[in-house]
Amino acid sequence: MQGVSRVFGDGSDTQVTALHPTDFAVYPGELVAVVGPSGSGKSTLLTLAGALQRPTAGRIAIAGQDLAALSERQLADFRLQQIGFVLQSSNLIPYLKVREQLTLVPQLAGRGGAAARALADDLLGHLGLSDRAGHYPAQLSGGQKQRVAIARALMNDPGLILADEPTASLDGVRGREVVALLAREVQARGKAAVMVTHDERVLDLCTRVVRLEDGRVLEG
């Protein structure tokens, strides 16, 4: 991000600046934590980084692609190919088994089949979930669901992983396990990752910590 800002509202009396002009970068192998109080701009930063909304001003590039050059349809394709999302509730589909949760992602990109199933099994093995491949989400613990969500985020080999409060529904031990696993995979696979979190207990597992307050980056 270079000089990226986001302003909501039309008139000067109703405008709200969610993010002031900001420079922000994350590199392959890094897991960067973004922390700050509610309303500080963390969610806005994450949705901009995830190409889910466009900035009011400034430039965003991911894997060398300037997002401003893409149409809405191209942005949707770009998100599928280059960005993996891990959300606080895992957002698994209740009626799909674990392996199917993963293979659905490449199917959406037109790359299903045996190769996708093999990749899914490889990821599940790396994350200690091979024995859960045939289980439904209701049969998994909270920590296992988040590990499945991480595996799903890696399925299309994206350059960027975005995690929104991935430990919010977990106890301290399970939350730390999930972030440690995410950090390990990010480093081993050369991904860039950004994690918004309120969980101070996992910050030591991150490469850097960026603090936001009132839409401004204070450090990082």
Side-chain angles (χ1 to χ4, degrees), residues 6 47 55 58 61 68 71 83 86 93 95 97 107 115 118 134 169 179 206 218:
R6 187 69 172 95
T47 55
S71 68
I83 305 174
V86 181
I93 300 170
Y95 53 83
K97 295 178 181 179
Q107 284 174 19
S169 60
V179 176
C206 301
L218 300 183

Side-chain angles (χ1 to χ4, degrees), residues 94-127:
Y95 53 83
L96 292 183
K97 295 178 181 179
V98 166
R99 183 185 289 108
E100 295 168 337
Q101 305 277 346
L102 272 60
T103 56
L104 177 62
V105 178
Q107 284 174 19
L108 292 173
R111 298 199 306 264
R117 291 192 295 273
L119 175 59
D121 288 341
D122 180 62
L123 283 170
L124 291 173
H126 272 290
L127 303 187

Side-chain angles (χ1 to χ4, degrees), residues 21-197:
T22 295
D23 293 336
F24 177 75
V26 57
Y27 301 97
E30 285 192 324
L31 172 59
V32 178
V34 178
V35 301
S38 297
S40 61
K42 300 188 304 299
S43 294
T44 299
L45 181 74
L46 206 66
T47 55
L48 288 168
L52 295 169
Q53 60 176 288
R54 296 185 186 270
T56 303
R59 176 179 179 269
I60 302 174
I62 298 173
Q65 173 65 59
D66 187 341
L67 300 190
L70 301 178
S71 68
E72 292 302 319
R73 180 175 185 136
Q74 289 171 326
L75 268 181
D77 289 338
F78 184 83
R79 283 193 297 270
L80 182 60
Q81 301 291 346
Q82 287 293 342
I83 305 174
F85 294 90
V86 181
L87 305 177
Q88 57 182 288
S89 61
S90 76
N91 277 30
L92 301 182
I93 300 170
Y95 53 83
L96 292 183
K97 295 178 181 179
V98 166
R99 183 185 289 108
E100 295 168 337
Q101 305 277 346
L102 272 60
T103 56
L104 177 62
V105 178
Q107 284 174 19
L108 292 173
R111 298 199 306 264
R117 291 192 295 273
L119 175 59
D121 288 341
D122 180 62
L123 283 170
L124 291 173
H126 272 290
L127 303 187
L129 291 166
S130 293
D131 61 341
R132 295 291 185 268
H135 288 58
Y136 291 100
Q139 299 171 295
L140 305 178
S141 69
Q144 288 170 339
K145 289 178 183 177
Q146 286 300 69
R147 282 190 276 161
V148 173
I150 291 170
R152 182 179 60 187
L154 292 167
M155 273 301 293
N156 275 350
D157 196 26
L160 177 64
I161 305 292
L162 299 177
D164 185 10
E165 300 283 2
T167 68
S169 60
L170 305 176
D171 62 38
V173 173
R174 296 294 175 265
R176 192 169 177 84
E177 286 178 355
V178 164
V179 176
L181 186 150
L182 178 60
R184 185 192 77 197
E185 293 300 314
V186 163
Q187 185 173 30
R189 298 174 187 275
K191 306 302 179 185
V194 179
M195 176 180 68
V196 164
T197 185

